[in-house]
Amino acid sequence: MPMTAPISLSRLREMKQQGEKIACLTAYDASFARVLDEAGVEVILVGDSLGMVIQGHTTTVPVTMDDMIYHSRAAGQGNRRALLMVDMPFMACPTVEWALVNATRLMQAGGAQAVKLEGSGVQLEIVTELARRSIPVCAHLGLQPQSVHKIGGYRVQGRESAAAKGMLDNAMQLEKAGADALLLECVPESLATEITESVTIPVIGIGAGPRCDGQVLVLHDILGVTPGKAPRFSKNFMNEGGSIQAAVARYVAEVKAGTFPAQQHVFE
Ligand code: KIV
């Protein structure tokens, strides 16, 4: 099969401008990265969700930089075309200097083409500096799973008007600071739509409604192998039967058609 051009940040921006939905999924190894890449996923996220679905922890907090580099290298081996985005794990960015060191490690040792970071408040300063050094960066807003012990659970964020305004302002400031993309997790549909329409950079949603520029889910959730109750915003694409490749292709097709997420996956 002839390879189409590798996905770049400018291609993702162009997709936003043209209203073409961006399909993103997590992968943590070469075999699944290859499946995703061949199915036409534009962004492969080596998420720190690996702490839960690969390592069996109950949160993402125990995941280390070495873990991220190991899985990023592995996923990169199976990927040819998709943009490889890699999470900065818990406390990888306690200061701007550490953020620079760790983002550099993810790119040089892990092969990351973009890094994603949680942590509102400190994000602006860090994003500014990463952008100044030409490190592609996606800022993760809304529910921040690395803060689970502080916030006391996995809850929808931005329901109250002050919090919604704060998130919208933060999103616009992050774009100004040089962020190349935003990820919104567990945000009411109306707020996610407003944020998506207020910035020119691509906005990828998870539990943030169908109007974001793209969607991401955890691979193990769409394959129905995550232990316990699946998150409300997720969908088991294996339910209709067939192979893993067919399930991933269905996910990509539904994201592209705008039929996923449906109303039952959305928060008000
Ligand atoms: O770690 C991860 O997989 C993520 C997604 C849930 C967006 O950050």
Side-chain angles (χ1 to χ4, degrees):
M1 207 202 303
M3 194 180 99
T4 50
I7 302 293
S8 59
L9 291 169
S10 49
R11 173 69 190 132
L12 296 182
R13 263 182 197 254
E14 189 180 273
M15 289 177 74
K16 176 181 178 110
Q17 283 158 7
Q18 295 172 349
E20 201 183 324
K21 295 287 184 190
I22 299 163
C24 174
L25 273 174
T26 65
Y28 319 97
D29 66 38
S31 302
F32 281 109
R34 182 169 296 113
V35 170
L36 270 47
D37 186 47
E38 287 177 354
V41 163
E42 277 94 12
V43 181
I44 293 178
L45 172 65
V46 184
D48 62 356
S49 50
L50 70 85
M52 298 165 86
V53 298
I54 302 289
Q55 298 175 335
H57 299 296
T58 55
T59 74
T60 59
V61 173
V63 178
T64 65
M65 274 296 300
D66 286 345
D67 294 334
M68 294 311 301
I69 289 169
Y70 175 89
H71 287 282
S72 177
R73 283 174 76 101
Q77 293 298 320
N79 178 41
R80 292 197 312 161
R81 176 176 175 262
L83 186 98
L84 194 71
M85 183 183 287
V86 183
D87 261 340
M88 300 278 260
F90 180 66
M91 286 305 284
C93 307
T95 62
V96 170
E97 289 70 28
W98 272 103
L100 281 172
V101 168
N102 283 328
T104 305
R105 285 189 72 205
L106 286 186
M107 293 185 78
Q108 290 192 321
Q113 293 164 325
V115 301
K116 174 167 84 60
L117 55 103
E118 297 181 22
S120 30
V122 289
Q123 268 176 332
L124 265 187
E125 213 187 331
I126 290 170
V127 167
T128 304
E129 205 50 33
L130 294 180
R132 209 164 70 80
R133 312 284 177 143
S134 300
I135 297 176
V137 56
C138 173
H140 184 142
L141 300 178
L143 175 65
Q144 317 236 329
Q146 290 171 12
S147 307
V148 61
H149 296 308
K150 183 81 177 168
I151 57 182
Y154 299 103
R155 297 200 187 87
V156 179
Q157 303 292 308
R159 274 195 166 132
E160 305 75 25
S161 60
K165 185 178 176 324
M167 205 186 299
L168 176 61
D169 290 348
N170 200 201
M172 293 190 295
Q173 288 163 345
L174 284 161
E175 172 172 33
K176 262 206 196 117
D180 296 285
L182 299 177
L183 186 140
L184 297 182
E185 179 164 356
C186 290
V187 172
E189 180 182 6
S190 55
L191 174 60
T193 302
E194 196 178 355
I195 291 175
T196 304
E197 290 170 356
S198 302
V199 296
T200 62
I201 51 177
V203 177
I204 314 281
I206 175 166
R211 308 280 291 282
C212 296
D213 301 309
Q215 300 293 328
V216 60
L217 285 178
V218 170
L219 179 65
H220 292 58
D221 289 346
I222 77 156
L223 300 181
V225 294
T226 307
K229 193 167 170 278
R232 147 130 183 246
F233 55 73
S234 193
K235 175 174 170 180
N236 181 345
F237 284 83
M238 288 297 284
N239 275 344
E240 290 161 54
S243 62
I244 287 173
Q245 284 85 346
V248 173
R250 274 199 291 274
Y251 168 77
V252 173
E254 290 195 21
V255 169
K256 298 278 173 198
T259 51
F260 177 82
Q263 214 42 50
Q264 71 265 28
H265 308 115
V266 166
F267 300 108
E268 307 270 302

